[in-house]
Amino acid sequence: PLLERIKVPTLVIHARNDGVQPFEEGRKVSAGIPHSQFLMLDSANHIPLQNESAWDAFFEGLRNFVRN
């Protein structure tokens, strides 16, 4: 119930095969925050590693979000 009270621009980032938190939990968080953006990373890591494509996608998504 607290998520709907968030009124600032929000980017929720979640790895598709995250081994720490299920993907659906990231989707639920994003859906609960009005006007949030959701970025799915193609990774099995909770935090993307520098040697995987999700690393570049993470920073590209973050840059795009901050620019807006």
Side-chain angles (χ1 to χ4, degrees):
L2 296 177
L3 293 176
E4 64 190 28
R5 295 171 55 186
I6 297 173
K7 303 297 182 201
V8 297
T10 304
L11 175 63
V12 177
I13 303 171
H14 204 283
R16 180 191 328 235
N17 298 308
D18 190 322
V20 177
Q21 290 293 325
F23 181 75
E24 195 52 41
E25 291 302 312
R27 297 294 260 166
K28 286 180 188 177
V29 168
S30 183
I33 300 171
H35 310 292
S36 71
Q37 295 179 38
F38 184 80
L39 174 61
M40 188 273 308
L41 298 177
D42 190 18
S43 177
N45 296 304
H46 188 65
I47 298 173
L49 302 176
Q50 189 172 7
N51 64 339
E52 61 182 334
S53 62
W55 179 266
D56 292 332
F58 171 81
F59 284 102
E60 180 181 342
L62 190 57
R63 275 192 294 273
N64 289 337
F65 178 76
V66 171
R67 284 182 188 146
N68 293 326

